[in-house]
Amino acid sequence: MSAHLSYGRVNLNILREAARKELREFLDKCGGSKAIVWDEYLTGPFGLIAQYSLLKEHEVEKMFTLKGGRLPAADVKNIIFFVRPRLELMDIIAENVISEDKMHSPRDFHILFVPRRSMLCEQRLKEQGVLGSFINIDEYILDLIPYDGDLLSMESEGAFRECYLESDQTSLYHTAKGLMTLQALYGTIPQIFGKGECARHVANMMLRMKREFAGSQTQILPVFDSLLLLDRNVDLLTPLATQLTYEGLIDEVYGITNGFCRFLPPEKFSKMQLNSAEELYAEIRDKNFNGVGAALSKKAKIISAAFEERHSAKTVGEIKQFVSQLPHMQAARSSLANHTSIAELIKDITTSEAFFDNLTVEQEFMTGVDTDKVNTYIEDCIAQKDPLIKILRLVCMQSVCNNGLKQKLLDYYKREILQTYGYEHMLTLNNLEKTGLLKPQTSTRNNYPTIRKTLKLWMEDANEQNPNDISYVYSGYAPLSIRLTQVLARPGWRSIEEVLKMLPGPHFEERQQLPAGLHKKRQQGENRTTLVFFLGGVTYAEIAALRFLSQMEDGGTEYIIATTKLINGTSWIKSLMDRPEAQAS
Amino acid sequence: MAFITANWNPLGEAFYRKIELYEMGWSLRDGLKECLVAAAPYGGPIENHLHNLKKLTLLQNIYNLQRWKSGPVRQLGWTVCDDLLCIQEDGTVLIYDLFGAFKRHFSMGNEVVQNQVLEAKVFHSPYGTGVAIVTGASRFTLATNIDDLKLRRLPEVPGLQGAPSCWAVLTQDRQTKVLLANRADLYILDNTSCTPVTPPGLSLQSCSIVNMAVSFSYKYLALFTDSGHLWMGSANLKDKLSEVDTKVRTPPKQMVWCRRPKSQQPSVVIMWDRLLLVAGECTDTIQYTLDEESVCVAELDGVRIVGGSRHELLQEVPSACQDIFKIASMAPGALLLEAHKEYEKSSQKADEYLREIKEQSVLGEAVRQCVEAAGYEHEPETQKTLLRAASFGKCFLSNYPPEPFVSMCRDLKVLNSVREYTVGIPLTHTQYKQMTVQVLIDRLVYRKLYPLAIEICRYLKTPEYQGVSRVLKHWACCKVQQKEEPDESIAHAVSVKLGEAAGISYSEIAARAYECGRTELAIKLLEFEPRSGEQVPLLLKMKRSQLALSKAIESGDTDLVYTVVTYLKNEMNRGDFFMTLRNQPVALSLYRQFCKHQEQDTLKDLFNQDDDHQELGNFYVKASYKEKKLEARLSLLQSAVDEYNKAKNEFAAKATEEEMKLLRFQRRLDEEMGEALLGLSLQETLHALLTSNFHKQAEQLYRDFRVPDKRYWWLKLTALAEKDDWEEMEKFAKSKKSPIGYLPFVEVCVKQHNKYEAKKYVSKVTPEQKVKAHLAIGDLEGAAEAAIERRSEGEISTVLSRCSPTTDRALLERLNRARSTAAKK
């Protein structure tokens, strides 16, 4: 189930195993049969760590979703609540426990807080008078979850909103803790680079925690050479653009959650896990969608040729060899069939006029065409009441590419939106303004063109089939975040000081002292390994771009990616929306 | 060397030996007569208690003589962490530390107060140290772990009056049970039942069982009958090992198992007034005469015998020692030892011996035996001799791994130093390995032998935070309790000594200082704590809440910040609380988050205090959506407008006013026309009005809200198409020039599957959009014509892609020709 985690440059399975071990230890602490009551939000992330079989081995017999009222009947000795430390969840748990007591059934209660226990929550349980009912109150430190061979995610949906909108830095604390765990397993990371306020904060906490743990350092040869911390608000543009890689488009169209995707129509393939464990998927996921068709047909030829070999197999030995490869070939064939269907579904969308028009406008904005005027396409979309998020993505994009919109233009858009979609969205617009996604132009100077030119964010002739630059992931636009990463590796940030100053937040470099004897002696031609941490989310297209850089022959750096959450423009904007009706109900 | 076997006594195939550990220096007039003695395993401390109500504390000057003031003591015992338990007649259990200082007490239940404790036992299990008692009412009460006290009263034993003849506590299958004998009957008592049991093969059924012993591991059981027979078997009473007739009929004073790991001849040691008898599986016994009152202590690998003047260890001679020292032994180890002895004498015989070993190629085995045997010997001289022999043998081996030898040397050095009579821990190598260095260090620390503990840590290169740092922390905790020294000098002394050590928890030390009432010292010590998170709880306890808040923020741990904030909220008056938060933005924003979900009213107060009108406006807007009644909603929105105005947010104020206007308009229409418009957006309202033929009202809204023409046209267009009002649409199209062009008309009609109507508008479409319009109604020819006319290569290609090669051949050719001419230009 997890072999794909160990193929990469850094064996991330170590992390997964460590997490599984901890889970098993907790389950064994509650002796006897158990039922788990899940905070529904956690089931997805947990799926990446342990399947039901592991729980079953440790006498978990039933699973329920956490909800108010009385717990469902189950003949088990232990009831374990797996929850995030949220006060509202504590109230539900208290309700469960209180109604349970009335039935006089002797079941033991336990709580497992993920990712951290909280005094505030325990206090709440105490106020509700149920704290004493729990035999075990424990925490399960699940910060960074191995998502794929080169990818770690904290799967924390609200991280961007909390950090940039609500000034709640809890997720940054978890990030720092997670990085400390990572360093305990993979050695101290000697160099830390960063850009942005949150990055600075995380780095400060890491350095402080290192001092706190002085003496208990593990003597492990460092696996990572450097860490790059990037604030999402340094590059607000990239997630707004429509991703054009295969995986990116799957995410845009169907949405990938916790590594799984539900396709429509559902009867065909209900829920598919998408990761590098599937050979074909690993091959095509990061290609520009225009290159996927060719790759699939090439693959089809290879597979059918492989099946043809059965005719040429004459001797018993040859036949035996053929048969031994059969399961693998059959898996490859069904994988090919699946992805051909998916690619066709997506193609229907990408070839549609609506998609094309939308993309044209996006590209106009990114190249700086008429970003200071009312855009008729946006106007038409509003008039036809297209989905609000689509409108917001475009308006925000125009604002970002113009370093803010003129007050009059901004007010016009806002008014159009409020009149069409309802005045309640004023709060959402307000949130977008607070996070800087939407803003009135303050200075007369628009520095986006300078940034675009210096960092070569727009490449006119992006080669989609055989890319030679990261810009292929957006068919022309090279993600700003990845350009920063690329420049850092070579020739270094000193060459772009001017641009860095235009982007929000400080940029910095820190060094962590390694214990004597652990300095790595680099072989000639050996690549560096850099961990890039996106605070506030990363898109699949950006990951594809980093993988592309890792694979470049003369790149010299391999990247491991970590993030608070995998996002796309839609899920990102959604996380910033305020819907008062929803809250009232 | 010949002396080594002098104290060996054969028992079956094996030998037993008694080694003197210490000469006891306690000054008791009558020896151990009339004393209660308790000794802890793993070479632990010994405590005795005189019946004349004097508490005498001993073991190498540790205890001082004190007057015993409390009630009569029934039993003494040691806990796993070297605390002393005194179980009194009234069921009170007093706990003292190693130095005789009272720590705490607990009771074994109310029932005991009346019935008194008849007998008590202290036992150890995986759960910790437990206490079992039997009361005057012949009932048993158990506490499996005194640190987590849960009293369990066991069921009644049929026919039992007074105390049973003998009893023992067993731990089996993670359950603690009591095994007891009432004359000839044997019972097992667990939580729920009392089961009579019979040991298999106990030949003399009619005899009563007068004593019993359970082995150190709870695996074996020995029973002694009044006919002088000793039965040995497994503790689950399934197997019998042997039965021995001791020929002594007097009930023994004490009986304990004497085993060792890989025992050849496990045995039971039985003690009478003047006799000590060792009985194994074979029929032989060993008898020692006792010249003084003594007490036996079961150990993992033997029995310690504590008397008034001596302290001895009785154990089976380990096979490695037997092989080497047995008279005329030809084992490899024995030969190697001999070879080395000759070598020291510079005799050529050394070579002969060595050759003999090498011929059998057992030199490796010989070295191994010598190393192992060294571990079992108590005399440093003997250890040295054996290790020298091993080292000598090693010289002739090319690839013998050095680790066993090196680690044995280290272990012995440590063991010898703790066996020293000033320390007084007579630990054997086997016990030491079982117990681990960590525990040994803990025990040394507990005895306040800090320098030795540190030296051992350094010598064994224990990682600092587990070793030296831990010891230093304990030292510091002890140091802060020295009342006579001033704060300054203690803080200084602690920081000087601990400064360099890694992983020291200053907060623990500070907590200790605070417990002793030295708040100032605690604060000074906390300054040294690098983990700000650790400082917070103690600072709160000491009521230094402001400092706690800034430390919590420093740590980055938001839960900790919340904790402090909640604390402050309860401690301070509201004004001060808000002021404090105002100076700590991180705490303030966290508290806002908290209020958002939990205390809406406080949130408003917070914004008010900060004059944050923008947020107040948002607050009212949010509140308005939760309000069901329109009037209340409008008044909240009005408040929002006021706040937005104060915040100089013109747009928000105006938009909110518009919202109110819309709501009022909707209400009026709902009342007048019976529509259900309330809550719809402006766009939706217009759409609803247009589809319901309220054109006049729609027009009014359109003007009042200054809806842009473009959008209004789109809106009206779709609304008309949706209700198939083609006539009205045509009128609308002709009313004035369309601000959105005529392509939308075509598209909307097509969307409603009305190509006929769509065609009407194709001619009105601008030239740029002609191709699109023709294509929309499926008119390829028209599209082709338009494209060719415009000579646009791209448009021609678009049309081409829609043509099918079979049906539209002529058209294809035309287009292809046109494209090539267009391309030329």
Side-chain angles (χ1 to χ4, degrees):
Chain A
M1 289 312 285
S2 55
H4 63 286
L5 296 177
S6 39
Y7 292 152
R9 168 79 178 245
V10 176
N11 183 355
L12 295 182
N13 207 22
I14 298 176
L15 186 63
R16 185 171 181 268
E17 276 311 316
R20 285 165 70 93
K21 184 167 158 247
E22 212 181 312
L23 182 61
R24 282 195 290 259
E25 276 168 9
F26 174 77
L27 289 173
D28 289 342
K29 226 192 250 179
C30 321
S33 56
K34 349 181 168 1
I36 296 181
V37 183
W38 286 97
D39 170 357
E40 209 170 9
Y41 180 86
L42 290 175
T43 49
F46 257 84
L48 295 165
I49 296 294
Q51 280 74 32
Y52 184 48
S53 56
L54 180 139
L55 300 175
K56 224 169 168 179
E57 278 165 27
H58 293 265
E59 298 177 82
V60 174
E61 289 172 2
K62 289 262 166 61
M63 310 234 264
F64 306 116
T65 306
L66 182 67
K67 53 173 184 269
R70 185 180 287 183
L71 284 170
D75 186 21
V76 289
K77 190 165 171 292
N78 300 286
I79 300 276
I80 312 177
F81 294 94
F82 278 36
V83 286
R84 286 167 296 160
R86 299 258 176 131
L87 288 175
E88 59 272 22
L89 299 180
M90 296 306 111
D91 296 346
I92 300 177
I93 291 178
E95 205 180 318
N96 284 169
V97 173
I98 290 166
S99 48
E100 172 90 358
D101 278 347
K102 287 175 201 151
M103 291 159 58
H104 299 294
S105 57
R107 300 198 278 192
D108 289 349
F109 290 106
H110 313 268
I111 292 190
L112 189 63
F113 283 115
V114 186
R116 223 149 244 116
R117 66 191 287 175
S118 127
M119 292 188 241
L120 203 61
C121 288
E122 283 168 47
Q123 185 63 34
R124 173 58 67 96
L125 289 175
K126 201 171 168 187
E127 283 163 18
Q128 302 266 19
V130 293
L131 188 69
S133 313
F134 294 95
I135 310 264
N136 277 311
I137 296 184
D138 233 310
E139 61 182 3
Y140 182 59
I141 302 172
L142 191 64
D143 293 319
L144 284 167
I145 305 167
Y147 203 92
D148 211 327
D150 57 355
L151 181 58
L152 298 160
S153 169
M154 294 172 62
E155 293 299 278
S156 150
E157 205 110 49
F160 184 84
R161 184 187 171 105
E162 283 162 25
C163 292
Y164 299 93
L165 186 62
E166 293 163 345
S167 335
D168 174 356
Q169 298 175 327
T170 309
S171 58
L172 298 182
Y173 178 68
H174 292 169
T175 304
K177 281 277 184 187
L179 284 166
M180 294 313 284
T181 314
L182 209 63
Q183 291 188 86
L185 291 171
Y186 298 96
T188 305
I189 306 174
Q191 270 185 308
I192 304 176
F193 298 94
K195 170 74 188 165
E197 293 290 349
C198 293
R200 183 68 261 185
H201 188 60
V202 169
N204 285 347
M205 278 193 281
M206 281 174 73
L207 296 173
R208 159 175 280 279
M209 287 173 189
K210 185 166 183 255
R211 276 204 303 281
E212 292 181 358
F213 294 120
S216 55
Q217 256 180 32
T218 39
Q219 300 286 313
I220 297 174
L221 201 67
V223 174
F224 297 104
D225 297 288
S226 57
L227 163 69
L228 170 60
L229 294 160
L230 278 178
D231 273 34
R232 183 73 270 176
N233 80 340
V234 169
D235 172 15
L236 292 171
L237 173 57
T238 306
L240 293 171
T242 306
Q243 308 172 68
L244 294 175
T245 58
Y246 180 52
E247 189 169 40
L249 274 166
I250 293 179
D251 188 34
E252 296 276 349
V253 177
Y254 297 102
I256 303 175
T257 35
N258 307 125
F260 283 90
C261 186
R262 281 179 199 282
F263 291 97
L264 295 166
E267 62 274 9
K268 220 166 179 186
F269 8 67
S270 54
K271 199 176 167 191
M272 234 171 106
Q273 189 165 21
L274 296 171
N275 59 36
S276 56
E278 193 183 346
E279 197 184 310
L280 174 64
Y281 187 63
E283 227 171 275
I284 59 171
R285 70 200 299 189
D286 298 323
K287 284 194 185 307
N288 184 293
F289 188 68
N290 285 335
V292 168
L296 284 174
S297 73
K298 201 172 119 197
K299 193 77 184 176
K301 274 179 204 141
I302 294 171
I303 290 175
S304 62
F307 273 99
E308 282 310 307
E309 265 177 36
R310 71 173 182 271
H311 299 301
S312 62
K314 293 280 188 292
T315 67
V316 176
E318 281 169 351
I319 291 170
K320 196 180 164 202
Q321 203 201 344
F322 177 80
V323 170
S324 73
Q325 286 171 348
L326 215 51
H328 177 244
M329 282 159 60
Q330 273 161 346
R333 189 159 66 175
S334 86
S335 154
L336 179 71
N338 280 344
H339 286 290
T340 312
S341 315
I342 297 169
E344 260 160 26
L345 287 172
I346 291 177
K347 194 167 176 234
D348 287 345
I349 291 161
T350 54
T351 49
S352 72
E353 207 166 306
F355 186 87
F356 178 78
D357 289 346
N358 188 62
L359 199 62
T360 312
V361 174
E362 281 185 13
Q363 298 195 341
E364 277 172 14
F365 288 156
M366 289 190 284
T367 46
V369 178
D370 289 341
T371 49
D372 52 349
K373 296 194 184 82
V374 176
N375 183 287
T376 47
Y377 178 71
I378 297 182
E379 253 184 329
D380 287 352
C381 287
I382 295 176
Q384 292 171 75
K385 212 166 178 237
D386 280 359
L388 175 60
I389 292 183
K390 174 184 169 178
I391 309 295
L392 293 176
R393 263 177 97 158
L394 285 170
V395 174
C396 289
M397 196 164 183
Q398 185 175 357
S399 164
V400 172
C401 290
N402 199 48
N403 194 22
L405 299 172
K406 283 196 196 104
Q407 192 68 52
K408 215 178 129 198
L409 179 58
L410 181 63
D411 286 353
Y412 173 74
Y413 277 139
K414 276 163 69 180
R415 225 176 99 156
E416 288 289 286
I417 290 169
L418 292 182
Q419 288 195 350
T420 310
Y421 299 91
Y423 289 98
E424 67 267 26
H425 295 294
M426 188 148 77
L427 298 171
T428 298
L429 293 172
N430 193 34
N431 290 347
L432 293 175
E433 281 186 68
K434 256 194 190 167
T435 49
L437 272 163
L438 204 58
K439 61 178 183 185
Q441 202 170 40
T442 41
S443 65
T444 42
R445 205 179 131 69
N446 172 13
N447 51 26
Y448 175 72
T450 325
I451 297 170
R452 188 183 71 225
K453 275 170 211 147
T454 324
L455 292 179
K456 299 203 189 74
L457 295 187
W458 186 260
M459 303 296 277
E460 208 42 75
D461 40 8
N463 187 337
E464 293 167 349
Q465 309 282 342
N466 298 302
N468 51 10
D469 182 76
I470 56 168
S471 56
Y472 85 93
V473 297
Y474 287 98
S475 295
Y477 166 69
L480 195 159
S481 55
I482 312 303
R483 273 285 192 257
L484 288 180
T485 314
Q486 197 182 7
V487 173
L488 177 68
R490 200 185 301 168
W493 275 357
R494 203 158 295 165
S495 60
I496 51 164
E497 284 281 342
E498 285 302 307
V499 168
L500 284 174
K501 269 182 207 152
M502 289 174 190
L503 298 169
H507 59 280
F508 59 89
E509 179 185 347
E510 296 284 352
R511 278 172 193 278
Q512 296 201 92
Q513 212 60 46
L514 288 179
L518 288 185
H519 290 279
K520 210 167 164 183
K521 285 180 198 74
R522 198 179 309 284
Q523 306 289 317
Q524 189 72 38
E526 191 191 330
N527 282 348
R528 293 169 57 85
T529 307
T530 298
L531 176 67
V532 189
F533 205 122
F534 294 87
L535 302 164
V538 69
T539 65
Y540 287 97
E542 284 171 294
I543 293 169
L546 278 178
R547 286 190 183 133
F548 173 78
L549 290 180
S550 292
Q551 282 155 14
M552 282 216 312
E553 267 172 34
D554 54 348
T557 308
E558 283 194 42
Y559 296 98
I560 304 291
I561 304 126
T563 183
T564 48
K565 176 78 190 161
L566 288 143
I567 55 165
N568 61 41
T570 305
S571 65
W572 191 39
I573 297 284
K574 212 177 201 166
S575 78
L576 291 171
M577 287 175 76
D578 252 333
R579 262 163 299 179
E581 314 99 304
Q583 280 177 2
S585 63
Chain B
M1 286 279 83
F3 300 114
I4 294 233
T5 52
N7 59 355
W8 288 18
N9 285 305
L11 184 72
E13 292 288 293
F15 290 92
Y16 270 75
R17 67 177 174 191
K18 209 161 75 166
I19 309 162
E20 177 159 339
L21 298 170
Y22 302 110
E23 250 179 62
M24 298 307 262
W26 41 22
S27 51
L28 284 175
R29 230 177 326 119
D30 304 319
L32 287 179
K33 259 182 210 164
E34 303 285 296
C35 287
L36 272 177
V37 178
Y42 293 102
I46 305 164
E47 156 74 21
N48 80 0
H49 182 92
L50 283 158
H51 278 182
N52 59 4
L53 296 189
K54 258 187 187 169
K55 183 172 178 226
L56 190 105
T57 49
L58 66 137
L59 188 71
Q60 287 84 33
N61 322 326
I62 288 182
Y63 275 77
N64 291 316
L65 202 67
Q66 294 176 345
R67 278 226 56 99
W68 183 253
K69 295 189 189 104
S70 210
V73 171
R74 275 280 172 239
Q75 182 74 37
L76 296 175
W78 291 97
T79 68
V80 278
C81 35
D82 282 353
D83 283 328
L84 178 69
L85 298 179
C86 298
I87 304 159
Q88 300 193 140
E89 211 170 61
D90 60 357
T92 315
V93 182
L94 306 158
I95 305 177
Y96 293 87
D97 76 4
L98 201 51
F99 299 90
F102 176 74
K103 285 177 89 168
R104 63 189 176 94
H105 73 91
F106 63 88
S107 164
M108 291 298 289
N110 293 331
E111 183 223 10
V112 194
V113 181
Q114 294 169 6
N115 294 324
Q116 308 269 292
V117 177
L118 285 186
E119 282 174 22
K121 283 190 200 305
V122 174
F123 60 93
H124 304 279
S125 70
Y127 305 107
T129 301
V131 173
I133 55 162
V134 56
T135 66
S138 302
R139 292 294 292 267
F140 285 88
T141 303
L142 271 185
T144 34
N145 182 4
I146 56 157
D147 292 323
D148 177 20
L149 196 66
K150 278 179 191 143
L151 292 178
R152 277 168 32 204
R153 197 155 174 252
L154 300 184
E156 210 167 333
V157 182
L160 178 66
Q161 296 208 321
S165 340
C166 57
W167 58 289
V169 182
L170 279 175
T171 299
Q172 280 174 345
D173 312 326
R174 301 167 85 184
Q175 230 199 345
T176 311
K177 302 170 182 172
V178 169
L179 180 70
L180 73 134
N182 187 16
R183 295 171 193 288
D185 303 322
L186 205 56
Y187 298 97
I188 283 193
L189 259 180
D190 61 20
N191 283 353
T192 49
S193 62
C194 174
T195 330
V197 283
T198 10
L202 181 62
S203 48
L204 296 154
Q205 291 293 345
S206 55
C207 297
S208 18
I209 296 161
V210 291
N211 209 331
M212 62 170 74
V214 180
S215 73
F216 199 73
S217 58
Y218 294 107
K219 272 195 194 138
Y220 299 96
L221 175 71
L223 302 170
F224 192 86
T225 66
D226 59 358
S227 60
H229 279 79
L230 175 71
W231 178 93
M232 287 185 255
S234 63
N236 54 18
L237 292 165
K238 284 198 176 120
D239 306 297
K240 174 183 171 178
L241 288 175
S242 72
E243 199 171 314
V244 180
D245 184 4
T246 61
K247 304 196 178 66
V248 185
R249 306 250 164 154
T250 341
K253 276 184 66 187
Q254 211 188 344
M255 195 164 93
V256 288
W257 275 90
C258 181
R259 301 179 51 83
R260 63 174 306 115
K262 295 183 198 146
S263 237
Q264 287 177 299
Q265 187 66 247
S267 66
V268 174
V269 176
I270 314 170
M271 190 180 69
W272 287 271
D273 271 344
R274 293 277 163 203
L275 178 68
L276 193 72
L277 185 132
V278 185
E281 282 173 25
C282 58
T283 46
D284 306 340
T285 56
I286 307 170
Q287 303 197 356
Y288 294 101
T289 334
L290 283 180
D291 45 15
E292 59 180 353
E293 199 79 21
S294 301
V295 165
C296 296
V297 186
E299 288 282 0
L300 176 70
D301 56 349
V303 171
R304 273 192 298 146
I305 302 157
V306 185
S309 58
R310 265 195 307 279
H311 185 171
E312 294 166 310
L313 175 71
L314 175 67
Q315 61 166 192
E316 184 190 316
V317 177
S319 59
C321 299
Q322 259 193 53
D323 282 344
I324 292 176
F325 295 119
K326 207 160 67 181
I327 293 162
S329 167
M330 292 295 278
L335 292 175
L336 179 61
L337 187 65
E338 211 52 43
H340 180 247
K341 226 184 272 173
E342 295 300 331
Y343 169 76
E344 298 245 285
K345 284 192 236 159
S346 312
S347 152
Q348 86 282 5
K349 276 191 191 158
D351 184 51
E352 282 170 30
Y353 281 119
L354 210 55
R355 267 174 209 284
E356 200 176 328
I357 306 172
K358 283 179 104 174
E359 268 162 27
Q360 302 172 43
S361 43
V362 285
L363 188 52
E365 174 63 14
V367 173
R368 197 196 56 73
Q369 275 184 352
C370 286
V371 171
E372 197 191 330
Y376 295 128
E377 290 303 324
H378 258 248
E379 277 306 312
E381 270 317 309
T382 321
Q383 295 166 1
K384 274 185 207 162
T385 317
L386 286 164
L387 287 173
R388 278 200 199 104
S391 150
F392 173 69
K394 248 158 49 80
C395 300
F396 301 95
L397 285 167
S398 51
N399 50 4
Y400 189 79
E403 292 87 14
F405 181 80
V406 174
S407 67
M408 180 58 79
C409 290
R410 278 207 194 116
D411 290 348
L412 283 175
K413 191 158 183 175
V414 171
L415 282 175
N416 288 338
S417 67
V418 300
R419 283 172 189 163
E420 181 74 12
Y421 75 95
T422 48
V423 181
I425 305 180
L427 209 55
T428 66
H429 188 255
T430 321
Q431 292 165 11
Y432 170 66
K433 280 292 160 198
Q434 174 79 21
M435 185 171 98
T436 73
V437 190
Q438 291 300 320
V439 179
L440 178 62
I441 301 292
D442 281 344
R443 289 177 60 176
L444 289 173
V445 163
Y446 201 63
R447 286 166 170 74
K448 303 195 181 168
L449 297 167
Y450 305 111
L452 178 62
I454 288 183
E455 217 151 290
I456 289 176
C457 291
R458 293 217 172 108
Y459 178 67
L460 293 177
K461 300 200 172 70
T462 319
E464 271 207 342
Y465 61 100
Q466 286 175 0
V468 176
S469 298
R470 210 157 49 104
V471 179
L472 282 173
K473 188 196 80 187
H474 284 287
W475 167 80
C477 284
C478 174
K479 181 86 184 165
V480 296
Q481 294 174 39
Q482 293 176 347
K483 295 238 157 42
E484 63 284 357
E485 268 197 70
D487 292 350
E488 281 298 334
S489 71
I490 291 183
H492 181 73
V494 168
S495 74
V496 166
K497 199 151 255 169
L498 274 58
E500 293 300 302
I504 291 271
S505 166
Y506 280 92
S507 57
E508 270 180 61
I509 304 168
R512 186 61 63 85
Y514 177 67
E515 277 168 27
C516 307
R518 306 185 75 159
T519 312
E520 286 310 313
L521 176 60
I523 291 170
K524 280 200 178 77
L525 289 170
L526 266 188
E527 281 302 309
F528 298 118
E529 174 63 62
R531 289 167 296 177
S532 35
E534 296 290 310
Q535 302 168 318
V536 174
L538 189 60
L539 285 169
L540 282 185
K541 226 186 200 174
M542 300 191 297
K543 309 229 178 290
R544 298 292 196 280
S545 40
Q546 300 274 354
L547 193 57
L549 184 59
S550 48
K551 291 288 179 192
I553 291 168
E554 220 172 77
S555 76
D557 183 349
T558 43
D559 187 52
L560 204 57
V561 180
Y562 272 131
T563 311
V564 182
V565 168
T566 329
Y567 177 88
L568 291 176
K569 195 176 136 199
N570 297 333
E571 284 293 297
M572 294 177 155
N573 68 46
R574 213 173 163 85
D576 291 348
F577 174 58
F578 280 4
M579 275 318 285
T580 310
L581 286 185
R582 213 171 176 176
N583 298 327
Q584 298 283 8
V586 177
L588 180 62
S589 56
L590 283 176
Y591 185 61
R592 270 195 199 136
Q593 278 306 102
F594 171 80
C595 291
K596 208 187 235 167
H597 298 293
Q598 305 289 332
E599 293 176 16
Q600 288 282 334
D601 289 337
T602 318
L603 187 64
K604 198 170 99 183
D605 296 346
L606 274 173
F607 292 141
N608 254 324
Q609 188 207 247
D610 292 348
D611 292 325
D612 192 340
H613 298 294
Q614 171 68 29
E615 282 301 333
L616 272 171
N618 292 347
F619 177 84
Y620 286 122
V621 168
K622 239 178 247 177
S624 79
Y625 291 113
K626 288 186 192 153
E627 195 55 64
K628 294 270 179 314
K629 286 194 199 97
L630 187 63
E631 279 312 318
R633 200 163 150 189
L634 287 170
S635 91
L636 281 167
L637 286 174
Q638 185 56 52
S639 310
V641 172
D642 297 343
E643 294 298 337
Y644 284 138
N645 277 328
K646 279 184 207 158
K648 301 213 163 55
N649 186 341
E650 239 174 89
F651 177 83
K654 234 165 138 191
T656 313
E657 271 170 3
E658 262 188 22
E659 184 178 5
M660 292 165 67
K661 195 161 84 184
L662 179 65
L663 284 171
R664 289 199 183 104
F665 179 86
Q666 285 169 336
R667 179 177 56 180
R668 208 183 65 225
L669 233 64
D670 284 357
E671 279 165 5
E672 286 172 12
M673 323 276 185
E675 292 287 310
L677 299 173
L678 200 68
L680 296 182
S681 76
L682 178 63
Q683 182 95 340
E684 287 156 349
T685 313
L686 281 168
H687 188 266
L689 290 173
L690 287 170
T691 40
S692 323
N693 277 329
F694 291 115
H695 289 285
K696 221 177 85 199
Q697 285 81 354
E699 289 285 324
Q700 191 200 336
L701 269 188
Y702 152 67
R703 276 192 307 274
D704 284 0
F705 284 84
R706 293 187 292 117
V707 175
D709 278 355
K710 272 184 171 178
R711 203 167 82 231
Y712 187 66
W713 273 69
W714 264 111
L715 196 60
K716 191 157 178 182
L717 181 61
T718 18
L720 292 174
E722 268 169 37
K723 55 174 193 161
D724 295 326
D725 196 346
W726 308 114
E727 211 173 308
E728 187 67 31
M729 188 189 279
E730 216 171 330
K731 263 194 238 161
F732 181 50
K734 285 172 185 160
S735 64
K736 61 178 178 179
K737 192 175 176 288
S738 161
I740 51 172
Y742 293 90
L743 185 61
F745 282 79
V746 179
E747 285 173 343
V748 162
C749 293
V750 172
K751 215 173 162 190
Q752 290 293 320
H753 310 291
N754 194 335
K755 278 193 187 168
Y756 173 77
E757 287 294 329
K759 275 182 193 153
K760 289 184 182 167
Y761 304 102
V762 171
S763 58
K764 289 188 147 196
V765 169
T766 55
E768 295 84 37
Q769 296 177 324
K770 273 256 158 66
V771 177
K772 254 191 181 173
H774 281 288
L775 284 177
I777 56 164
D779 174 13
L780 276 178
E781 298 238 2
E785 223 145 283
I788 293 167
E789 198 173 302
R790 299 211 342 114
R791 293 176 190 167
S792 148
E793 199 187 342
E795 280 175 15
I796 294 172
S797 302
T798 316
V799 181
L800 263 173
S801 67
R802 299 281 285 270
C803 294
S804 110
T806 45
T807 49
D808 315 307
R809 190 171 306 164
L811 203 59
L812 268 174
E813 276 170 25
R814 247 182 88 199
L815 282 165
N816 275 327
R817 263 202 314 278
R819 185 161 69 167
S820 51
T821 37
K824 270 176 209 153
K825 278 181 187 170

